[in-house]
């Protein structure tokens, strides 16, 4: 499992050959990303990467079985499912087919690829035999490549290449940092505190610790955190929390806010560890943080003696979903 993370720089370098393989001729009103879990988080990453680009179409992240009502002919819809069989994502896909011609599929296999071929919908195939969560950079790079080749660039090919070089150059440091974080969370309930600019990294980290280490996790996003959650700590909490504060946004205000959060947790006596995101830009920082936190969740799984690969309860949920699949496709 550790290998599936440590391979990121080399594995994803192969993906760069797909860059430019799909180039869309569309000026969308909005770009909608549909997907669940490890595939759904890709939408959050595109949201974060595009958030500050002036004039960029709004990015909408859908982690549901229904498309938002506004989606129509002017919008571009990405359907992302590593397995290609996730029923919520398939339901969104079927609804999208009725609303717009601008659809692109990202999957490794499954119904989505079958239907893409049947219906002549552009798609990018992600390598098989990975777990969805470990294919984060593969799926992200597939989308960044399409956007860049479609005059909707948020990351250039050069930046994408440099980010992989950067990741390869910090692997040893990443492994060390991941081990320290795993130790910090051992026998405690992780609380991951991020700034809004990196909210998706917080979600991603939570999902990683949930799925790999089998632990519940709390994510807090600053400054919203300071308008509600902060008060929750005024009570006398008996739970063994363990706080991780993620720094690294390159604006001073954000740093001051994160420092406030860090000091607040310390002042009330909670164990705090900080993670400073390295990297020359948001993509590098996101990959750096994702790799550290993914590895940390695998190391924590080892410490708990649990199998990081298995996700039995997701299977239990998906089996239930199959039973109601006809209803699911009718809601649209
Ligand atoms: C992550 C994981 C899940 C899936 C989710 C959706 O590794 O196993 O979060 O990503 O159940 O499945 P896919 O990604 O196949 O659409």
């Amino acid at each position: 499992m550790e290998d599936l993370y440590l391979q990121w720089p080399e594995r994803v370098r192969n993906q760069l050959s797909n860059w430019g393989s799909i180039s869309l001729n569309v000026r969308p009103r909005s770009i909608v990303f549909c997907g669940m879990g490890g595939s759904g988080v890709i939408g959050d990453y595109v949201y974060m990467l595009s958030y500050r680009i002036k004039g960029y179409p709004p990015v909408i992240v859908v982690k549901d079985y229904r498309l938002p009502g506004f989606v129509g002919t002017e919008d571009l819809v990405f359907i992302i499912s590593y397995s290609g069989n996730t029923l919520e994502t398939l339901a969104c896909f079927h609804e999208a087919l009725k609303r717009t011609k601008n659809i692109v599929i990202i999957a490794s296999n499954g119904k989505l690829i079958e239907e893409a071929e049947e219906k002549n919908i552009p798609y990018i195939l992600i390598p098989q035999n990975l777990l969805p969560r470990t294919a984060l950079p593969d799926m992200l790079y597939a989308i960044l490549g399409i956007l860049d080749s479609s005059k909707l660039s948020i990351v250039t090919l050069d930046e994408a290449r440099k980010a992989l070089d950067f990741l390869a150059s910090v692997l040893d440091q990443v492994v060390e940092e991941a081990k320290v974080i795993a130790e910090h969370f051992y026998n405690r309930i992780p609380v991951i505190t991020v700034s809004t600019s990196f909210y998706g990294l917080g979600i991603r980290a939570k999902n990683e610790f949930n799925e790999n280490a089998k632990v519940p996790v709390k994510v807090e996003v600053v400054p919203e955190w300071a308008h509600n959650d902060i008060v929750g700590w005024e009570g006398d909490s008996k739970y063994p929390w363990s706080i991780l504060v993620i720094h690294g946004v390159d604006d001073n205000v954000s740093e001051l806010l994160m420092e406030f959060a860090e000091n607040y947790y310390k002042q009330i006596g909670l164990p705090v560890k900080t993670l400073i995101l390295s990297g020359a830009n948001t993509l590098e920082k996101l990959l750096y943080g994702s790799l550290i936190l993914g590895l940390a969740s695998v190391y924590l799984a080892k410490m708990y003696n649990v199998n990081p690969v298995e996700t039995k309860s997701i299977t239990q949920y998906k089996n239930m979903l199959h039973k109601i699949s006809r209803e699911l496709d009718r809601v649209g």
Side-chain angles (χ1 to χ4, degrees):
M1 180 83 175
E2 194 181 349
D3 288 356
L4 293 179
Y5 289 92
L6 292 173
Q7 291 162 354
W8 276 11
E10 285 325 306
R11 198 180 68 227
V12 180
R13 221 178 286 281
N14 301 332
Q15 266 291 313
L16 288 174
S17 54
N18 278 329
W19 202 278
S21 62
I22 295 180
S23 141
L24 308 167
N25 187 13
V26 52
R27 297 278 70 84
R29 172 179 63 176
S30 78
I31 311 181
V32 180
F33 290 87
C34 303
M36 305 302 298
S39 301
V41 85
I42 307 296
D44 295 304
Y45 276 48
V46 177
Y47 181 97
M48 291 184 285
L49 286 162
S50 65
Y51 187 72
R52 300 275 302 154
I53 301 177
K54 290 210 168 68
Y56 202 80
V59 168
I60 314 290
V61 181
V62 178
K63 298 180 185 181
D64 192 22
Y65 52 91
R66 289 174 302 183
L67 276 184
F70 79 87
V71 176
T73 49
E74 298 160 74
D75 303 296
L76 167 60
V77 181
F78 280 91
I79 302 288
I80 314 167
S81 166
Y82 181 78
S83 61
N85 287 325
T86 297
L87 291 180
E88 292 97 328
T89 315
L90 277 163
C92 281
F93 170 52
H94 294 145
E95 209 181 335
L97 284 171
K98 296 179 199 148
R99 309 246 204 117
T100 178
K101 291 198 165 52
N102 307 318
I103 302 176
V104 180
I105 287 175
I106 311 291
S108 71
N109 203 344
K111 277 277 297 121
L112 276 178
I113 297 298
E114 261 172 47
E115 292 200 36
E117 281 179 349
E118 253 169 52
K119 301 184 168 92
N120 229 348
I121 293 180
Y123 67 89
I124 288 198
L125 261 187
I126 302 300
Q128 291 183 12
N129 303 322
L130 306 171
L131 293 164
R133 54 193 174 280
T134 65
L136 170 108
D138 308 68
M139 295 190 276
L140 180 63
Y141 268 52
I143 286 163
L144 295 178
I146 297 171
L147 293 174
D148 188 44
S149 320
S150 308
K151 300 203 173 83
L152 291 165
S153 185
I154 48 180
V155 167
T156 64
L157 177 56
D158 188 48
E159 286 167 334
R161 276 203 189 105
K162 283 191 177 138
L164 295 181
D165 294 343
F166 162 73
L167 216 51
S169 73
V170 291
L171 273 189
D172 291 346
Q173 178 189 328
V174 159
V175 167
E176 286 321 302
E177 186 75 277
K179 287 181 180 159
V180 176
I181 293 174
E183 288 284 345
H184 179 65
F185 283 160
Y186 184 57
N187 279 341
R188 298 193 151 264
I189 307 171
V191 178
I192 297 169
T193 305
V194 279
S195 82
T196 302
S197 308
F198 289 123
Y199 85 93
L201 180 61
I203 294 173
R204 162 76 183 179
K206 180 195 82 65
N207 298 350
E208 291 281 79
F209 284 100
N210 297 154
E211 293 180 49
N212 289 336
K214 281 62 176 166
V215 288
V217 177
K218 183 164 143 63
V219 180
E220 286 302 327
V221 181
V222 176
E224 178 62 13
W225 162 85
H227 295 272
N228 33 64
D229 186 76
I230 192 172
V231 187
W233 300 102
E234 286 177 18
D236 195 10
S237 173
K238 300 279 185 297
Y239 298 104
W241 305 106
S242 183
I243 316 288
L244 182 72
V245 176
I246 302 184
H247 290 273
V249 184
D250 42 18
D251 81 78
N252 290 343
V253 173
S254 175
E255 260 321 290
L256 290 171
L257 302 185
M258 295 312 289
E259 262 170 41
F260 175 82
E262 184 184 332
N263 291 334
Y264 179 82
Y265 287 126
K266 284 180 178 162
Q267 172 200 317
I268 56 174
L270 293 168
V272 179
K273 154 108 190 77
T274 57
L275 168 62
I276 300 169
L277 298 176
S278 294
N281 50 42
T282 305
L283 177 65
E284 291 186 9
K285 289 178 186 186
L286 285 175
L287 290 175
Y288 178 84
S290 308
L291 189 53
I292 290 184
L293 294 160
L295 282 168
S297 66
V298 174
Y299 298 146
L300 190 59
K302 258 191 211 159
M303 295 166 84
Y304 285 139
N305 212 6
V306 294
N307 180 354
V309 175
E310 252 180 12
T311 47
K312 282 189 246 164
S313 29
I314 297 181
T315 309
Q316 185 186 342
Y317 167 74
K318 286 186 176 176
N319 289 341
M320 178 281 297
L321 217 50
H322 272 284
K323 293 195 187 128
I324 61 160
S325 60
R326 236 186 279 149
E327 263 79 1
L328 206 69
D329 242 355
R330 251 202 305 261
V331 234

